[in-house]
Amino acid sequence: MNVDLFDFDLPPERIALRPATPRDAARMLVVRGDAMHDRVVSDLPGELRAGDLLVFNDTRVIPAQLEGRRGDAKIGATLHKREGPRRWRAFVRNAKRLRDGDTIDFGEGVTAIASDRAEDGSFALDFAGEEPVELLLDRCGRMPLPPYIASKRATDARDADDYQTMFADEPGAVAAPTAALHFTPGLMAALGKAGVGHVTLTLHVGAGTFLPVKADDTDDHRMHAEWGRIDAATADRINAARAAGGRVIAVGTTSLRLIESACDPDGRVQPFEGDTAIFITPGVPIRGIDGLMTNFHLPRSTLFMLVSALMELDVMQAAYAHAIEDGYRFYSYGDASLLLP
């Protein structure tokens, strides 16, 4: 498909720089078929049914944004995928000043050797020493806010909490599964009282999620890979919910992508562990979920293509036009949509 079909104009003032307070006070556009209703996230229990199952991503964002030096050259690095116990693949700023075998000093006693430059300009970074890399990153790293926020303001202490979901448990993501940022203990209690269940899976979101689609046709886009896991107990609960007549609602595109990666042709979710580079565009069948809660995405992005596959392109074009006109807040810290095809 022509990538231009997924373009739209977004006024810069619609980009949220801070989340709503409290988190479940964010607005929520409910799209059922082609009908739209304006709600807030705290209304979610009334929009779902007893027996429905929410699926959350329990990945935890690590402080993956690093600033260092190679001699006199300033080098910036954004980790995006773990390749070994002490090795991470990283996108590098000022990469022209870096060669294979160079050592980068990130301060606080943290150094890494760069190697294996890839076609996309990324390097493998092997961190020196014996301490777990997570401890090193706690010393020298900062939260990796998305570029559309980081370009407008500096990361600060608030982001350490704001850019982490209440389900965050498994360290390894360099971007938050942002749909789940809207959830609070109070909202989860209300959902439980309404008979709505929940499970978690793990997909370590990589910085590749923010890479623009540069190809003119979706067939020519190379999707980034991310590591994920669905254990047998979680797969069984998802399948049991649907067998009992409940709906499986993915919270976030990361949850949806991993479920679809683990789905067999009959729509049953199987246990899964490994990399996925699934790319969902209109025409690709979605078998494992019955709805999606997600934020509002970038124009021409793989995520806007995904929601268009779920709901149909004309429906999402109309929904996004309504959201822009009505002042909804976009992107990672923005408002939510509940999509029920």
mmCIF file of all heavy atoms in Angstrom, residues 29-59:
data_model
loop_
_atom_site.group_PDB
_atom_site.id
_atom_site.type_symbol
_atom_site.label_atom_id
_atom_site.label_comp_id
_atom_site.label_asym_id
_atom_site.label_seq_id
_atom_site.Cartn_x
_atom_site.Cartn_y
_atom_site.Cartn_z
ATOM 1 N N LEU A 29 -11.243 8.171 23.395
ATOM 2 C CA LEU A 29 -12.171 8.121 22.271
ATOM 3 C C LEU A 29 -12.545 6.662 22.033
ATOM 4 O O LEU A 29 -11.688 5.840 21.708
ATOM 5 C CB LEU A 29 -11.533 8.719 21.016
ATOM 6 C CG LEU A 29 -12.419 8.724 19.766
ATOM 7 C CD1 LEU A 29 -13.663 9.580 19.983
ATOM 8 C CD2 LEU A 29 -11.625 9.218 18.552
ATOM 9 N N VAL A 30 -13.817 6.332 22.223
ATOM 10 C CA VAL A 30 -14.301 4.972 21.998
ATOM 11 C C VAL A 30 -14.821 4.879 20.571
ATOM 12 O O VAL A 30 -15.688 5.653 20.158
ATOM 13 C CB VAL A 30 -15.411 4.602 22.993
ATOM 14 C CG1 VAL A 30 -15.912 3.177 22.741
ATOM 15 C CG2 VAL A 30 -14.906 4.733 24.438
ATOM 16 N N VAL A 31 -14.258 3.935 19.804
ATOM 17 C CA VAL A 31 -14.668 3.724 18.419
ATOM 18 C C VAL A 31 -15.214 2.300 18.309
ATOM 19 O O VAL A 31 -14.472 1.332 18.448
ATOM 20 C CB VAL A 31 -13.499 3.930 17.435
ATOM 21 C CG1 VAL A 31 -13.997 3.837 15.994
ATOM 22 C CG2 VAL A 31 -12.805 5.267 17.679
ATOM 23 N N ARG A 32 -16.541 2.191 18.116
ATOM 24 C CA ARG A 32 -17.198 0.894 17.909
ATOM 25 C C ARG A 32 -17.677 0.834 16.467
ATOM 26 O O ARG A 32 -18.581 1.583 16.100
ATOM 27 C CB ARG A 32 -18.391 0.733 18.846
ATOM 28 C CG ARG A 32 -18.042 0.377 20.276
ATOM 29 C CD ARG A 32 -19.308 -0.017 21.046
ATOM 30 N NE ARG A 32 -18.971 -0.470 22.374
ATOM 31 C CZ ARG A 32 -18.831 0.332 23.421
ATOM 32 N NH1 ARG A 32 -18.991 1.655 23.255
ATOM 33 N NH2 ARG A 32 -18.516 -0.144 24.603
ATOM 34 N N GLY A 33 -17.070 -0.043 15.695
ATOM 35 C CA GLY A 33 -17.396 -0.033 14.280
ATOM 36 C C GLY A 33 -17.002 1.312 13.704
ATOM 37 O O GLY A 33 -15.842 1.700 13.746
ATOM 38 N N ASP A 34 -17.990 2.065 13.196
ATOM 39 C CA ASP A 34 -17.694 3.407 12.709
ATOM 40 C C ASP A 34 -18.342 4.488 13.569
ATOM 41 O O ASP A 34 -18.409 5.648 13.178
ATOM 42 C CB ASP A 34 -18.124 3.557 11.245
ATOM 43 C CG ASP A 34 -19.624 3.283 11.044
ATOM 44 O OD1 ASP A 34 -20.311 2.983 12.034
ATOM 45 O OD2 ASP A 34 -20.081 3.364 9.892
ATOM 46 N N ALA A 35 -18.828 4.109 14.777
ATOM 47 C CA ALA A 35 -19.427 5.072 15.700
ATOM 48 C C ALA A 35 -18.386 5.523 16.719
ATOM 49 O O ALA A 35 -17.565 4.723 17.185
ATOM 50 C CB ALA A 35 -20.624 4.460 16.407
ATOM 51 N N MET A 36 -18.420 6.806 17.092
ATOM 52 C CA MET A 36 -17.435 7.367 18.016
ATOM 53 C C MET A 36 -18.127 8.015 19.209
ATOM 54 O O MET A 36 -19.183 8.636 19.063
ATOM 55 C CB MET A 36 -16.567 8.408 17.299
ATOM 56 C CG MET A 36 -15.626 7.829 16.283
ATOM 57 S SD MET A 36 -14.601 9.104 15.492
ATOM 58 C CE MET A 36 -15.793 9.836 14.365
ATOM 59 N N HIS A 37 -17.497 7.862 20.392
ATOM 60 C CA HIS A 37 -18.016 8.462 21.613
ATOM 61 C C HIS A 37 -16.848 9.017 22.430
ATOM 62 O O HIS A 37 -15.816 8.350 22.564
ATOM 63 C CB HIS A 37 -18.787 7.435 22.456
ATOM 64 C CG HIS A 37 -19.884 6.754 21.705
ATOM 65 N ND1 HIS A 37 -21.120 7.319 21.511
ATOM 66 C CD2 HIS A 37 -19.908 5.549 21.068
ATOM 67 C CE1 HIS A 37 -21.884 6.493 20.805
ATOM 68 N NE2 HIS A 37 -21.164 5.416 20.523
ATOM 69 N N ASP A 38 -16.996 10.208 22.978
ATOM 70 C CA ASP A 38 -15.970 10.835 23.801
ATOM 71 C C ASP A 38 -16.147 10.416 25.255
ATOM 72 O O ASP A 38 -17.222 10.628 25.843
ATOM 73 C CB ASP A 38 -16.045 12.359 23.682
ATOM 74 C CG ASP A 38 -15.792 12.841 22.251
ATOM 75 O OD1 ASP A 38 -14.740 12.489 21.701
ATOM 76 O OD2 ASP A 38 -16.654 13.560 21.712
ATOM 77 N N ARG A 39 -15.129 9.843 25.834
ATOM 78 C CA ARG A 39 -15.158 9.382 27.212
ATOM 79 C C ARG A 39 -13.844 9.791 27.888
ATOM 80 O O ARG A 39 -12.995 10.449 27.305
ATOM 81 C CB ARG A 39 -15.318 7.852 27.274
ATOM 82 C CG ARG A 39 -16.595 7.322 26.613
ATOM 83 C CD ARG A 39 -17.829 7.611 27.445
ATOM 84 N NE ARG A 39 -19.006 6.941 26.917
ATOM 85 C CZ ARG A 39 -19.897 7.510 26.105
ATOM 86 N NH1 ARG A 39 -19.709 8.781 25.710
ATOM 87 N NH2 ARG A 39 -20.936 6.836 25.671
ATOM 88 N N VAL A 40 -13.670 9.362 29.148
ATOM 89 C CA VAL A 40 -12.384 9.445 29.839
ATOM 90 C C VAL A 40 -11.991 8.036 30.247
ATOM 91 O O VAL A 40 -12.829 7.127 30.307
ATOM 92 C CB VAL A 40 -12.432 10.387 31.062
ATOM 93 C CG1 VAL A 40 -12.669 11.825 30.636
ATOM 94 C CG2 VAL A 40 -13.475 9.934 32.065
ATOM 95 N N VAL A 41 -10.698 7.838 30.528
ATOM 96 C CA VAL A 41 -10.199 6.484 30.799
ATOM 97 C C VAL A 41 -10.901 5.862 32.006
ATOM 98 O O VAL A 41 -11.161 4.649 32.020
ATOM 99 C CB VAL A 41 -8.671 6.517 31.000
ATOM 100 C CG1 VAL A 41 -8.162 5.167 31.490
ATOM 101 C CG2 VAL A 41 -7.971 6.892 29.691
ATOM 102 N N SER A 42 -11.245 6.661 32.998
ATOM 103 C CA SER A 42 -11.915 6.104 34.179
ATOM 104 C C SER A 42 -13.291 5.535 33.850
ATOM 105 O O SER A 42 -13.876 4.810 34.667
ATOM 106 C CB SER A 42 -12.028 7.157 35.283
ATOM 107 O OG SER A 42 -12.739 8.290 34.824
ATOM 108 N N ASP A 43 -13.831 5.824 32.652
ATOM 109 C CA ASP A 43 -15.095 5.233 32.210
ATOM 110 C C ASP A 43 -14.924 3.815 31.685
ATOM 111 O O ASP A 43 -15.926 3.161 31.341
ATOM 112 C CB ASP A 43 -15.715 6.074 31.078
ATOM 113 C CG ASP A 43 -16.158 7.452 31.517
ATOM 114 O OD1 ASP A 43 -16.524 7.617 32.696
ATOM 115 O OD2 ASP A 43 -16.130 8.380 30.671
ATOM 116 N N LEU A 44 -13.700 3.323 31.586
ATOM 117 C CA LEU A 44 -13.436 2.048 30.917
ATOM 118 C C LEU A 44 -14.269 0.886 31.462
ATOM 119 O O LEU A 44 -14.770 0.078 30.664
ATOM 120 C CB LEU A 44 -11.938 1.723 30.995
ATOM 121 C CG LEU A 44 -11.478 0.466 30.253
ATOM 122 C CD1 LEU A 44 -11.755 0.572 28.754
ATOM 123 C CD2 LEU A 44 -9.981 0.219 30.492
ATOM 124 N N PRO A 45 -14.455 0.736 32.786
ATOM 125 C CA PRO A 45 -15.255 -0.404 33.258
ATOM 126 C C PRO A 45 -16.649 -0.444 32.642
ATOM 127 O O PRO A 45 -17.186 -1.538 32.386
ATOM 128 C CB PRO A 45 -15.313 -0.184 34.774
ATOM 129 C CG PRO A 45 -14.062 0.567 35.085
ATOM 130 C CD PRO A 45 -13.874 1.496 33.919
ATOM 131 N N GLY A 46 -17.237 0.703 32.379
ATOM 132 C CA GLY A 46 -18.558 0.735 31.775
ATOM 133 C C GLY A 46 -18.568 0.480 30.283
ATOM 134 O O GLY A 46 -19.634 0.240 29.694
ATOM 135 N N GLU A 47 -17.400 0.535 29.654
ATOM 136 C CA GLU A 47 -17.296 0.290 28.208
ATOM 137 C C GLU A 47 -16.978 -1.169 27.894
ATOM 138 O O GLU A 47 -17.046 -1.582 26.736
ATOM 139 C CB GLU A 47 -16.215 1.188 27.596
ATOM 140 C CG GLU A 47 -16.480 2.679 27.744
ATOM 141 C CD GLU A 47 -17.709 3.133 26.985
ATOM 142 O OE1 GLU A 47 -18.035 2.520 25.947
ATOM 143 O OE2 GLU A 47 -18.355 4.099 27.441
ATOM 144 N N LEU A 48 -16.615 -1.945 28.922
ATOM 145 C CA LEU A 48 -16.296 -3.359 28.743
ATOM 146 C C LEU A 48 -17.390 -4.215 29.379
ATOM 147 O O LEU A 48 -18.329 -3.703 29.993
ATOM 148 C CB LEU A 48 -14.923 -3.665 29.345
ATOM 149 C CG LEU A 48 -13.753 -2.872 28.753
ATOM 150 C CD1 LEU A 48 -12.448 -3.248 29.449
ATOM 151 C CD2 LEU A 48 -13.638 -3.101 27.247
ATOM 152 N N ARG A 49 -17.271 -5.533 29.244
ATOM 153 C CA ARG A 49 -18.267 -6.457 29.758
ATOM 154 C C ARG A 49 -17.614 -7.459 30.705
ATOM 155 O O ARG A 49 -16.418 -7.763 30.591
ATOM 156 C CB ARG A 49 -18.931 -7.229 28.617
ATOM 157 C CG ARG A 49 -19.582 -6.368 27.556
ATOM 158 C CD ARG A 49 -20.437 -7.203 26.616
ATOM 159 N NE ARG A 49 -19.679 -8.150 25.830
ATOM 160 C CZ ARG A 49 -19.522 -8.088 24.511
ATOM 161 N NH1 ARG A 49 -20.028 -7.060 23.835
ATOM 162 N NH2 ARG A 49 -18.843 -9.019 23.862
ATOM 163 N N ALA A 50 -18.403 -7.974 31.642
ATOM 164 C CA ALA A 50 -17.920 -9.053 32.502
ATOM 165 C C ALA A 50 -17.470 -10.213 31.627
ATOM 166 O O ALA A 50 -18.155 -10.587 30.665
ATOM 167 C CB ALA A 50 -19.017 -9.502 33.459
ATOM 168 N N GLY A 51 -16.296 -10.760 31.939
ATOM 169 C CA GLY A 51 -15.731 -11.839 31.142
ATOM 170 C C GLY A 51 -14.695 -11.384 30.144
ATOM 171 O O GLY A 51 -13.957 -12.208 29.598
ATOM 172 N N ASP A 52 -14.634 -10.063 29.876
ATOM 173 C CA ASP A 52 -13.571 -9.535 29.011
ATOM 174 C C ASP A 52 -12.219 -9.659 29.714
ATOM 175 O O ASP A 52 -12.144 -9.691 30.956
ATOM 176 C CB ASP A 52 -13.829 -8.076 28.658
ATOM 177 C CG ASP A 52 -14.976 -7.898 27.660
ATOM 178 O OD1 ASP A 52 -15.406 -8.898 27.061
ATOM 179 O OD2 ASP A 52 -15.439 -6.748 27.490
ATOM 180 N N LEU A 53 -11.160 -9.699 28.928
ATOM 181 C CA LEU A 53 -9.810 -9.867 29.462
ATOM 182 C C LEU A 53 -8.892 -8.815 28.860
ATOM 183 O O LEU A 53 -8.743 -8.734 27.634
ATOM 184 C CB LEU A 53 -9.278 -11.261 29.137
ATOM 185 C CG LEU A 53 -7.913 -11.637 29.729
ATOM 186 C CD1 LEU A 53 -8.032 -11.867 31.231
ATOM 187 C CD2 LEU A 53 -7.360 -12.900 29.046
ATOM 188 N N LEU A 54 -8.276 -8.004 29.717
ATOM 189 C CA LEU A 54 -7.286 -7.031 29.279
ATOM 190 C C LEU A 54 -5.902 -7.676 29.305
ATOM 191 O O LEU A 54 -5.564 -8.400 30.247
ATOM 192 C CB LEU A 54 -7.291 -5.807 30.190
ATOM 193 C CG LEU A 54 -8.563 -4.955 30.175
ATOM 194 C CD1 LEU A 54 -8.539 -3.953 31.323
ATOM 195 C CD2 LEU A 54 -8.706 -4.230 28.851
ATOM 196 N N VAL A 55 -5.089 -7.393 28.283
ATOM 197 C CA VAL A 55 -3.738 -7.949 28.208
ATOM 198 C C VAL A 55 -2.736 -6.804 28.235
ATOM 199 O O VAL A 55 -2.700 -5.965 27.327
ATOM 200 C CB VAL A 55 -3.553 -8.788 26.933
ATOM 201 C CG1 VAL A 55 -2.160 -9.438 26.940
ATOM 202 C CG2 VAL A 55 -4.631 -9.856 26.817
ATOM 203 N N PHE A 56 -1.920 -6.770 29.292
ATOM 204 C CA PHE A 56 -0.937 -5.713 29.503
ATOM 205 C C PHE A 56 0.468 -6.219 29.217
ATOM 206 O O PHE A 56 0.757 -7.410 29.366
ATOM 207 C CB PHE A 56 -0.980 -5.213 30.954
ATOM 208 C CG PHE A 56 -2.264 -4.547 31.343
ATOM 209 C CD1 PHE A 56 -3.282 -5.268 31.966
ATOM 210 C CD2 PHE A 56 -2.468 -3.196 31.095
ATOM 211 C CE1 PHE A 56 -4.465 -4.654 32.330
ATOM 212 C CE2 PHE A 56 -3.644 -2.578 31.449
ATOM 213 C CZ PHE A 56 -4.650 -3.307 32.072
ATOM 214 N N ASN A 57 1.345 -5.289 28.855
ATOM 215 C CA ASN A 57 2.764 -5.570 28.669
ATOM 216 C C ASN A 57 3.495 -5.166 29.954
ATOM 217 O O ASN A 57 3.451 -4.002 30.359
ATOM 218 C CB ASN A 57 3.291 -4.760 27.479
ATOM 219 C CG ASN A 57 4.734 -5.080 27.132
ATOM 220 O OD1 ASN A 57 5.395 -5.862 27.803
ATOM 221 N ND2 ASN A 57 5.241 -4.448 26.078
ATOM 222 N N ASP A 58 4.172 -6.123 30.594
ATOM 223 C CA ASP A 58 4.828 -5.842 31.876
ATOM 224 C C ASP A 58 6.301 -5.468 31.730
ATOM 225 O O ASP A 58 7.070 -5.514 32.694
ATOM 226 C CB ASP A 58 4.674 -7.016 32.848
ATOM 227 C CG ASP A 58 5.431 -8.270 32.426
ATOM 228 O OD1 ASP A 58 6.125 -8.250 31.382
ATOM 229 O OD2 ASP A 58 5.329 -9.295 33.144
ATOM 230 N N THR A 59 6.722 -5.085 30.535
ATOM 231 C CA THR A 59 8.110 -4.655 30.357
ATOM 232 C C THR A 59 8.392 -3.397 31.177
ATOM 233 O O THR A 59 7.491 -2.593 31.425
ATOM 234 C CB THR A 59 8.418 -4.403 28.875
ATOM 235 O OG1 THR A 59 9.824 -4.207 28.701
ATOM 236 C CG2 THR A 59 7.690 -3.188 28.338
#
